[in-house]
Amino acid sequence: QVQLQESGPGLVKPSETLSLTCTVSGDSVSRGSYYWSWIRQPPGKGLEWIGYVYYSGITNYNPSLKSRVTISIDTSKNEVSLKLSSLTTADTAVYYCARAFMVRGLPKWFDPWGQGTLVTVSS
Amino acid sequence: QSALTQPASVSGSPGQSITISCTGTSSDIGNSNSVSWYQQHPGKAPKLIIYDVSDRPSGLSDRFSGSKSGTTASLTISGLQAEDEAHYYCSSFTSHSTLGVIFGGGTKLTVL
């Protein structure tokens, strides 16, 4: 059974950089059938796709966040990481990592998802 | 890239059927079979319930079904049950800009 677990600080200050890690168990991030993704959800609001990384290191980001986002992969640790810089209070959200099934280079669906981690941006 | 358009809320009585719409454009739903739906209960992570427009993950109840016509996808839940009360989100691949993913704003289903 594949499981994803997000970890990182629950509170970060404005203008700082958020760093989150997603640890994958029950599957290998080196498998070529998936994109490893980050998605966020502000309190009481909908889902927003942040971006994804392929095992080769190829990435794709939401245009609205592209200038501030870096997603990387560590195949030796079976982990995926997210860095989001220049934080503002608008970045307060639950951050999820999820596995995206990929066909012919296109992301198809997200399954499974991690439990999510709440990140609050506040001074 | 703007979010896909979903009704904010829908409701139905136990045993009834409801349909949630998800409207996009020719850059996403209209030109993609990569439409998926997710169920989210309060405080929980989203759960995949429909992928590739109308396919169900193994073990999921056949009360959930999906379809698409033009730039609008739909999720139908038949035989409503109390545990179906949740938020539902649609998602699609988008060929606009960076070839990424776009979500709908979400629909709150209330079982009366």
Side-chain angles (χ1 to χ4, degrees):
Chain A
Q1 180 183 359
V2 182
Q3 292 186 315
L4 289 73
Q5 178 69 57
E6 305 88 350
S7 60
L11 179 65
V12 287
K13 291 181 169 53
S15 79
E16 292 188 343
T17 296
L18 169 66
S19 294
L20 296 177
T21 299
C22 174
T23 302
V24 179
S25 58
D27 194 5
S28 170
V29 298
S30 299
R31 276 224 284 166
S33 302
Y34 304 108
Y35 290 128
W36 300 92
S37 312
W38 288 95
I39 296 155
R40 71 180 183 178
Q41 184 173 35
K45 296 188 178 180
L47 301 168
E48 180 180 33
W49 171 69
I50 298 171
Y52 56 67
V53 62
Y54 193 49
Y55 79 96
S56 63
I58 292 174
T59 55
N60 192 16
Y61 302 131
N62 187 321
S64 67
L65 298 170
K66 189 173 184 177
S67 64
R68 300 194 290 130
V69 173
T70 302
I71 297 176
S72 58
I73 194 164
D74 188 332
T75 56
S76 67
K77 294 182 178 179
N78 221 38
E79 292 178 347
V80 179
S81 296
L82 167 71
K83 290 189 186 301
L84 182 64
S85 64
S86 303
L87 293 172
T88 71
T89 56
D91 294 310
T92 293
V94 175
Y95 286 76
Y96 296 100
C97 63
R99 185 181 68 174
F101 193 77
M102 180 268 286
V103 175
R104 291 190 294 277
L106 301 182
K108 298 285 282 178
W109 62 85
F110 298 102
D111 182 59
W113 297 56
Q115 66 183 25
T117 186
L118 174 63
V119 175
T120 302
V121 180
S122 175
S123 55
Chain B
Q1 46 195 33
S2 300
L4 304 172
T5 301
Q6 297 181 233
S9 62
V10 297
S11 62
S13 299
Q16 289 185 332
S17 295
I18 62 94
T19 297
I20 298 171
S21 62
C22 172
T23 301
T25 69
S26 57
S27 294
D28 37 70
I29 292 177
N31 196 28
S32 169
N33 285 328
S34 301
V35 178
S36 51
W37 289 88
Y38 304 87
Q39 178 191 61
Q40 186 179 36
H41 286 109
K44 300 294 186 181
K47 172 188 172 184
L48 176 71
I49 56 173
I50 295 288
Y51 66 96
D52 279 356
V53 177
S54 59
D55 289 340
R56 281 186 308 274
S58 175
L60 193 82
S61 170
D62 60 3
R63 297 188 299 107
F64 295 88
S65 62
S67 63
K68 188 188 86 165
S69 179
T71 58
T72 298
S74 298
L75 170 70
T76 297
I77 307 174
S78 59
L80 271 179
Q81 299 178 1
E83 60 260 36
D84 297 332
E85 184 162 298
H87 278 88
Y88 292 84
Y89 294 92
C90 59
S91 177
S92 172
F93 164 78
T94 175
S95 59
H96 181 268
S97 190
T98 63
L99 306 181
V101 176
I102 191 170
F103 285 97
T107 298
K108 172 65 188 301
L109 167 62
T110 300
V111 180
L112 302 171

